[in-house]
Amino acid sequence: SWNKPNSQGRLFSVNLLDDSGEIRATAFTQQVDRLFPMLEAGKVYYISNAQVKMARQQFSTLNNQYELTFDDSTIVEQCQETTGVPQEQYEFVPLANLMKYEKGAIVDVLCVVRSVEDVVEITPKNGPTDRKMVKRDMSVVDKSGYQVRATVWGDDAREFKVPVDAIVAFKGMRVGDFGGRTLSLPSIGSLMASPDIPEAHMLRGWYDSAGRNASFQTYESMGGRGGGGEGRTDQIKTMAAVRDENVGGDHAEYFSVKGTIVFVRSTTLAYPGCASPDCSKKVIEDASTGQWRCEKCERSFASPEYRYIFSVNVSDETGQNWLQCFNEVGEQLLGCSANEMIRLQQQDETAFNQRIADATFQEFQFRCRAKSETFNDNTRVRISVMTMTKVDYVAEAHRLNKLIEAFSM
């Protein structure tokens, strides 16, 4: 459903498949009551008189530039002859490759369920107190040797009956970056337990013969909030090396730097974001209603959920660089949420400035991602902070001592 200042109503979407490919179809308002009860996953239908439009890719997981809209003239009839029904189409991504995808990217995943948690009811941040959402977390693994936390929502969470050690194909999972990498199934996605496809049979054979007793890496071990732990370690570079080696110029690269924050760019610290738990898009205030509107979710909120996005200038003995910080790193550095920081900026300038001052001239180890970006025909390398930890001076002394010994040989 949606609730705009000038209209409100209901809708549903369905993914349709034939021998040539897939397409998304959407029905609105009166058509919801007429058509929704007729459609059932796995059944075959004759559909005519639907409108063809350019697809809104933010609302679809399918590889199709067009979509359908059902209206009053649309006719839907079930086909009783169902031989040769095409199967769901997937483009599976190994769990080990999730770091190659940006936060918010949509991927298909074929995996084994290792553990399933109970359904949890939550209240969206800054949302109505009487509005509840339910979710269910689980751990999934695949043949690439990684274990990832996956989350399903709403009816998918309530009705999830897939047993541990079962194979599941997820279509349209959204990549998250909490604790490294996570997966979340949005309303436009789908899941299928024990799919009858060759890839699932191969995964079943591997898991039964070797995977069941295998050890798996996690993205948390690559440096989640708070850092530390075993697992992947990135090369530690100096600021001069980052600049001179053109790190990130050709492709995305991960590395670590140790340095001191000498300046926090505080003119624009945060942006007003969507209050939905699985959306972080920027929202726009409607001056006529005072509501904050998310065009992606097609929902309005009484207030936004501010999210940090700002730059810090970090220096070491060889030079300095600008690093971009996002929400979790911002909360760690400034010691409060972005909502609180915006409130201080508007109501208590002294306290706001003190928070900024307290964040400067502190030394951290930053795990970074560098990638070349083009905007308005200008290309530059943007360095983003993935995680930030206090320097362990004992461990750092041992590392430097080993470097000295290596040069002395």
Side-chain angles (χ1 to χ4, degrees):
S1 63
W2 78 89
N3 186 7
K4 296 182 179 180
N6 300 322
S7 66
Q8 59 183 4
R10 295 174 298 151
L11 62 84
F12 78 88
S13 295
V14 59
N15 292 343
L16 304 173
L17 171 69
D18 67 10
D19 290 331
S20 66
E22 298 173 283
I23 194 167
R24 181 174 181 265
T26 303
F28 296 90
T29 318
Q30 296 92 342
Q31 309 313 317
V32 173
D33 293 330
R34 182 172 72 91
L35 298 177
F36 185 78
M38 301 174 59
L39 297 171
E40 184 178 342
K43 297 293 180 64
V44 180
Y45 298 89
Y46 294 112
I47 299 174
S48 58
N49 297 338
Q51 297 182 34
V52 179
K53 297 181 178 180
M54 296 300 296
R56 295 180 295 173
Q57 296 297 338
Q58 68 270 33
F59 299 121
S60 178
T61 62
L62 305 182
N63 183 23
N64 196 325
Q65 61 179 322
Y66 299 102
E67 63 183 15
L68 303 177
T69 298
F70 295 157
D71 57 22
D72 292 338
S73 62
T74 300
I75 300 173
V76 177
E77 298 177 292
Q78 185 174 347
C79 174
Q80 302 302 326
E81 184 178 340
T82 59
T83 58
V85 177
Q87 291 184 325
E88 186 95 56
Q89 299 177 1
Y90 298 94
E91 295 182 8
F92 293 122
V93 171
L95 297 179
N97 290 352
L98 291 181
M99 287 304 296
K100 297 180 180 180
Y101 293 84
E102 300 283 353
K103 175 185 177 182
I106 298 296
V107 297
D108 300 341
V109 174
L110 181 69
C111 52
V112 181
V113 177
R114 290 277 279 191
S115 64
V116 181
E117 298 181 13
D118 293 334
V119 169
V120 176
E121 188 176 80
I122 62 172
T123 301
K125 295 179 180 180
N126 286 346
T129 56
D130 59 344
R131 179 175 176 266
K132 303 293 183 181
M133 297 185 68
V134 296
K135 70 169 187 172
R136 187 191 296 269
D137 291 333
M138 67 194 75
S139 293
V140 298
V141 300
D142 71 1
K143 196 174 180 179
S144 68
Y146 268 76
Q147 177 171 303
V148 174
R149 190 191 73 186
T151 303
V152 293
W153 300 85
D155 291 339
D156 287 327
R158 297 186 189 94
E159 300 169 5
F160 191 84
K161 305 297 183 183
V162 179
V164 171
D165 294 336
I167 307 292
V168 179
F170 290 99
K171 187 176 182 67
M173 290 287 266
R174 179 173 285 120
V175 177
D177 63 356
F178 181 81
R181 279 296 183 268
T182 56
L183 294 169
S184 179
L185 187 68
S187 59
I188 58 176
S190 63
L191 65 91
M192 179 180 294
S194 303
D196 186 13
I197 55 177
E199 297 94 331
H201 300 318
M202 293 176 61
L203 183 60
R204 176 85 274 162
W206 164 81
Y207 187 74
D208 289 342
S209 63
R212 191 183 302 272
N213 299 315
S215 297
F216 294 90
Q217 298 184 55
T218 66
Y219 286 104
E220 284 84 353
S221 67
M222 294 168 59
R225 215 183 315 187
E230 298 177 355
R232 172 178 170 179
T233 56
D234 299 302
Q235 182 180 1
I236 298 178
K237 295 181 177 291
T238 63
M239 293 295 177
V242 172
R243 181 184 63 250
D244 296 342
E245 296 172 10
N246 191 31
V247 174
D250 297 324
H251 59 274
E253 295 186 53
Y254 294 87
F255 60 92
S256 293
V257 293
K258 177 175 66 71
T260 300
I261 297 175
V262 296
F263 185 77
V264 178
R265 185 173 285 161
S266 59
T267 51
T268 304
L269 274 178
Y271 70 92
C274 178
S276 297
D278 59 344
C279 180
S280 58
K281 292 294 185 181
K282 185 176 181 180
V283 294
I284 301 173
E285 186 177 17
D286 188 329
S288 62
T289 64
Q291 296 280 303
W292 294 81
R293 176 70 179 170
C294 177
E295 294 300 331
K296 179 181 179 182
C297 296
E298 295 188 340
R299 295 178 55 203
S300 296
F301 303 90
S303 57
E305 177 74 9
Y306 281 95
R307 298 181 64 85
Y308 284 118
I309 179 170
F310 61 91
S311 296
V312 293
N313 191 271
V314 178
S315 176
D316 68 3
E317 64 276 9
T318 68
Q320 60 187 25
N321 273 306
W322 286 99
L323 310 183
Q324 188 174 56
C325 300
F326 296 100
N327 201 56
E328 291 179 9
V329 173
E331 290 177 348
Q332 182 183 351
L333 178 62
L334 297 173
C336 64
S337 68
N339 285 339
E340 174 64 13
M341 204 62 181
I342 294 299
R343 186 191 68 80
L344 292 177
Q345 190 176 33
Q346 297 171 347
Q347 301 177 11
D348 191 341
E349 186 176 357
T350 300
F352 174 84
N353 290 334
Q354 187 60 51
R355 292 262 183 187
I356 298 297
D358 291 343
T360 56
F361 300 107
Q362 294 194 59
E363 189 175 33
F364 295 96
Q365 182 159 313
F366 304 87
R367 181 170 184 267
C368 300
R369 178 180 187 270
K371 183 182 179 183
S372 178
E373 297 182 354
T374 301
F375 182 73
N376 287 339
D377 295 327
N378 294 320
T379 301
R380 64 171 183 169
V381 174
R382 184 183 298 277
I383 305 174
S384 302
V385 179
M386 308 297 291
T387 59
M388 178 183 75
T389 58
K390 284 286 190 179
V391 177
D392 182 341
Y393 289 104
V394 174
E396 179 65 8
H398 286 304
R399 185 185 73 85
L400 294 176
N401 186 56
K402 287 182 179 180
L403 286 176
I404 293 173
E405 290 177 349
F407 280 111
S408 300
M409 295 177 63

